[in-house]
Amino acid sequence: MIDITLIGTSALLPIPERALTAAFLSCGGHSILFDCGEGTQSAARKAGVSLVRTDIIALTHYHGDHILGLPGLLKTMWRTERTEPLYVIGPEGLWVKAMEPVLRLTGRTTYPIELIENPTAELQLSTLIKGWDSAKLTPFKTEHKVPSQGYCFTLSRAGKFIPQKAKALGVPVNQWGLLQKGQSVQVGDNIILPEQVLGEPRKGLKFVFTGDTAIYDNLINAAQGADLMISEATYGDNNQAQKAKTNGHMTFAQAAEVAKRADVKQLWLTHYSQTIADPQEYLPNATTIFENTICGEDGMSTTLHFED
Amino acid sequence: MIDITLIGTSALLPIPERALTAAFLSCGGHSILFDCGEGTQSAARKAGVSLVRTDIIALTHYHGDHILGLPGLLKTMWRTERTEPLYVIGPEGLWVKAMEPVLRLTGRTTYPIELIENPTAELQLSTLIKGWDSAKLTPFKTEHKVPSQGYCFTLSRAGKFIPQKAKALGVPVNQWGLLQKGQSVQVGDNIILPEQVLGEPRKGLKFVFTGDTAIYDNLINAAQGADLMISEATYGDNNQAQKAKTNGHMTFAQAAEVAKRADVKQLWLTHYSQTIADPQEYLPNATTIFENTICGEDGMSTTLHFED
């Protein structure tokens, strides 16, 4: 299962009613923070989420409203005497545009910081974080005014364990767990592979965080079949569609259009312009296109479960 | 008169209940922000204060909890298309430790930023900001782990205007106002000076913001006779006095001791450690020494008026 918390929902400015857009994903004892604007650490505490052990910070781009909380958060991690490495992932410019000045302000840290700039392929998270099996983070290019990317997090699910097959192959019961976890076991002279005792792989889980982007095809491809998509929806009004496109953003209706075409299960809107006093007012612009749309609110959380 | 708003009251970390310590002073249409930690701009909005036209940002030192809100605030000032110069004042290291990395993150601005690093004398504010007559900002060294300073803001007050003297010198009534404002006027061949028509200078106003500091004599001298002192009071317990000294901070009781010895009128405590859940619990530790002590709260404000 995957726990998701939407930490903030504002665009550009942190305002008293809404912290800047960021989301926190927790799964199997590991975690990812998506973006970190000014005030993200405080808003996370308000939402009951501690960020100090976050394994990965995934940045969508380097505009201030998505990164200016980093110096403070990294400092707080230092105060807790964290020692585990922190991975920071982002598009082109990660060092020059963000981390170099950020680390100048943070000062020394008690933990190593590993930068993954502009990854071109999906990241098998077990290669970064021991034991985070079956989890993948896949960046995808988005359409904003600067180099930018969104993220897909997927958790795959092995096929059902078939005890009859394990018995027939002579695997002792105390080794069944290893096979269920995807590891091979030795029985006499034979190596038994997980696929010999498991059924067809089952449907996993998929979470998508768009970052800032205009509507475009690659986004629809990337979000295909997601269980939850947290999407930017900077403008409420349908007649702001062209303005949104020009500024590299989306309207509520455009985010819903993406969700519909990508056949996602649920859509949460976020990254509201300051001019939106009450996002609910514009919700029908999205729900008429994609019914299962919710206006994100600071601190909102959910758990995604495997089917059946 | 001087309006003061305490924007936040936390030390080290912005927490949901308390923003980081910062204060805003407004006087005669001009303003000074003292320190700017992460979240200061949002906390200011909550307190009903707009920071985008702030004339001066006075930094006490460059620890993150006092400066990490700068990149965002400076960016917000840019978004409002501000054109007036912004003065940033601070102790040694202003450029290297703070403003160089801050401005890397802020990016371009629409307004000039003038740095005043480690000023050794009081600043007559009319030399920086046209029309801010009678106002002075005086930094004073404090005892912290890094170069640090507190600030005195003083507003002087001319003597009472004596109409009989002006009449006797033949000054036309429509020129009395200029003399009252401290300007000379010409009457026939004679230059009439303000002191010829004014009584003895009257008591002005004085506000002190300590920044982070241990208790020490220079602080008591600097705060002498202040109408309001906003003082750091990191620790509540009296038995933390030695720890406070070692860390360059004060207890509630030590802040009260300063207020008493400096004969200030009113003391507001701030910069509470995270371990203090309710500052009121420790207030008696201060009030037994200096009665007119108030536990500062986010958004608290007051107006200092001239006497009589």
Side-chain angles (χ1 to χ4, degrees):
Chain A
M1 68 190 206
I2 305 173
D3 290 319
I4 307 284
T5 303
L6 182 56
I7 294 175
T9 54
S10 184
L12 284 174
L13 267 182
I15 56 176
E17 315 82 85
R18 299 198 288 259
L20 286 168
T21 295
F24 185 74
L25 176 152
S26 161
C27 169
H30 305 289
S31 58
I32 303 174
L33 172 65
F34 296 94
D35 282 342
C36 185
E38 181 179 357
T40 291
Q41 61 173 323
S42 181
R45 282 178 74 130
K46 205 167 172 181
V49 166
S50 168
L51 298 180
V52 295
R53 293 285 167 266
T54 304
D55 295 285
I56 297 171
I57 299 178
L59 302 172
T60 60
H61 63 299
Y62 311 124
H63 280 154
D65 52 329
H66 297 256
I67 64 164
L68 292 182
L70 285 171
L73 175 60
L74 270 45
K75 192 89 187 172
T76 301
M77 289 177 173
W78 165 75
R79 283 209 190 87
T80 65
E81 297 179 9
R82 172 189 175 124
T83 54
E84 307 88 5
L86 171 70
Y87 295 90
V88 184
I89 303 175
E92 186 191 326
L94 178 58
W95 175 248
V96 176
K97 298 269 183 191
M99 295 307 291
E100 198 271 330
V102 160
L103 291 173
R104 289 267 309 278
L105 288 170
T106 300
R108 67 186 189 278
T109 63
T110 47
Y111 52 93
I113 298 175
E114 308 282 350
L115 303 185
I116 302 176
E117 180 167 338
N118 200 19
T120 51
E122 63 186 27
L123 299 160
Q124 290 284 356
L125 296 182
S126 60
T127 63
L128 304 179
I129 295 145
K130 202 180 155 189
W132 208 357
D133 302 318
S134 321
K136 272 192 321 195
L137 187 65
T138 310
F140 57 90
K141 294 288 164 217
T142 51
E143 287 264 305
H144 198 46
K145 290 181 160 184
V146 292
S148 62
Q149 60 197 29
Y151 293 91
C152 275
F153 175 88
T154 51
L155 195 62
S156 61
R157 190 183 189 197
K160 222 169 186 164
F161 180 72
I162 304 164
Q164 296 83 344
K165 287 193 178 183
K167 272 184 199 161
L169 291 161
V171 183
V173 175
N174 64 6
Q175 299 204 315
W176 288 11
L178 296 173
L179 287 163
Q180 283 170 308
K181 279 187 193 161
Q183 293 176 35
S184 306
V185 300
Q186 184 152 8
V187 177
D189 292 339
N190 299 325
I191 300 293
I192 311 295
L193 304 172
E195 47 267 41
Q196 293 179 264
V197 297
L198 299 176
E200 285 297 302
R202 289 169 290 182
K203 188 184 172 304
L205 290 170
K206 179 170 174 173
F207 166 70
V208 170
F209 185 81
T210 68
D212 289 12
T213 184
I215 187 169
Y216 88 128
D217 287 344
N218 193 30
L219 177 59
I220 295 154
N221 297 338
Q224 208 57 237
D227 295 275
L228 173 62
M229 173 166 86
I230 294 185
S231 174
E232 84 120 284
T234 307
Y235 305 107
D237 239 318
N238 290 346
N239 62 22
Q240 290 170 298
Q242 191 48 50
K243 181 181 179 184
K245 187 87 185 160
T246 310
N247 292 341
H249 290 299
M250 289 191 284
T251 60
F252 280 35
Q254 289 172 327
E257 181 70 23
V258 172
K260 184 185 175 187
R261 289 171 59 192
D263 199 21
V264 310
K265 281 199 185 154
Q266 192 172 153
L267 169 66
W268 288 9
L269 304 179
T270 186
H271 199 265
Y272 308 126
S273 155
Q274 261 197 96
T275 57
I276 297 181
D278 179 6
Q280 295 289 341
E281 199 186 321
Y282 299 96
L283 184 59
N285 292 346
T287 50
T288 51
I289 295 167
F290 181 75
E291 199 181 345
N292 203 7
T293 307
I294 289 173
C295 280
E297 287 175 18
D298 289 23
M300 184 183 274
S301 67
T302 192
T303 301
L304 306 178
H305 294 278
F306 286 129
E307 280 175 0
D308 66 58
Chain B
M1 66 190 209
I2 305 174
D3 289 317
I4 307 285
T5 303
L6 182 56
I7 293 174
T9 55
S10 184
L12 284 175
L13 268 182
I15 56 176
E17 316 82 85
R18 300 199 286 259
L20 287 167
T21 294
F24 185 75
L25 175 153
S26 161
C27 169
H30 306 289
S31 58
I32 303 175
L33 172 66
F34 296 95
D35 283 342
C36 186
E38 181 180 354
T40 292
Q41 62 172 323
S42 181
R45 282 178 75 129
K46 206 167 169 179
V49 167
S50 169
L51 299 180
V52 295
R53 292 282 167 270
T54 303
D55 295 286
I56 297 172
I57 299 178
L59 302 172
T60 61
H61 63 299
Y62 311 124
H63 280 155
D65 52 329
H66 296 255
I67 64 164
L68 292 183
L70 285 172
L73 175 59
L74 269 45
K75 192 87 188 174
T76 301
M77 288 176 172
W78 165 75
R79 282 210 191 86
T80 64
E81 296 179 7
R82 173 188 172 124
T83 53
E84 308 87 6
L86 171 70
Y87 294 91
V88 184
I89 303 176
E92 185 191 328
L94 178 59
W95 175 247
V96 175
K97 299 266 183 196
M99 295 307 291
E100 198 271 330
V102 160
L103 291 174
R104 291 266 308 276
L105 288 170
T106 300
R108 65 186 191 280
T109 63
T110 46
Y111 51 94
I113 298 175
E114 308 282 349
L115 303 185
I116 302 176
E117 181 168 338
N118 199 21
T120 50
E122 64 187 27
L123 298 160
Q124 290 285 356
L125 297 182
S126 60
T127 63
L128 303 180
I129 295 144
K130 204 180 156 188
W132 208 357
D133 301 320
S134 320
K136 273 193 319 194
L137 187 66
T138 310
F140 57 90
K141 293 288 165 214
T142 51
E143 287 263 303
H144 198 46
K145 292 183 158 182
V146 291
S148 63
Q149 61 197 28
Y151 293 92
C152 274
F153 175 88
T154 51
L155 195 63
S156 61
R157 189 181 189 198
K160 222 168 185 168
F161 180 73
I162 303 165
Q164 295 84 343
K165 287 194 176 182
K167 271 186 201 161
L169 291 163
V171 183
V173 175
N174 64 7
Q175 298 205 313
W176 288 11
L178 296 174
L179 287 162
Q180 282 170 308
K181 280 186 192 163
Q183 294 176 35
S184 305
V185 299
Q186 181 152 11
V187 177
D189 291 338
N190 299 325
I191 299 293
I192 309 297
L193 303 173
E195 47 267 41
Q196 292 178 265
V197 297
L198 299 176
E200 285 298 301
R202 289 169 291 181
K203 187 181 173 306
L205 290 170
K206 179 170 176 174
F207 165 70
V208 170
F209 184 81
T210 68
D212 288 13
T213 184
I215 186 168
Y216 89 127
D217 287 346
N218 194 29
L219 177 60
I220 295 156
N221 296 339
Q224 208 57 238
D227 295 274
L228 173 64
M229 174 166 84
I230 294 186
S231 174
E232 85 120 284
T234 307
Y235 305 107
D237 239 318
N238 289 346
N239 62 21
Q240 291 171 299
Q242 190 48 51
K243 181 181 179 183
K245 187 89 184 161
T246 309
N247 292 340
H249 289 301
M250 290 192 282
T251 60
F252 279 36
Q254 288 172 327
E257 180 70 24
V258 172
K260 184 186 175 186
R261 289 172 58 192
D263 199 21
V264 311
K265 283 201 184 152
Q266 191 172 155
L267 168 65
W268 287 8
L269 304 178
T270 185
H271 200 264
Y272 308 126
S273 155
Q274 261 197 96
T275 58
I276 297 180
D278 180 5
Q280 294 290 342
E281 200 185 322
Y282 299 97
L283 185 59
N285 292 345
T287 49
T288 51
I289 295 166
F290 181 75
E291 199 183 345
N292 204 7
T293 307
I294 289 174
C295 280
E297 288 175 18
D298 289 24
M300 183 184 272
S301 67
T302 191
T303 301
L304 306 177
H305 294 278
F306 287 130
E307 282 174 356
D308 68 57

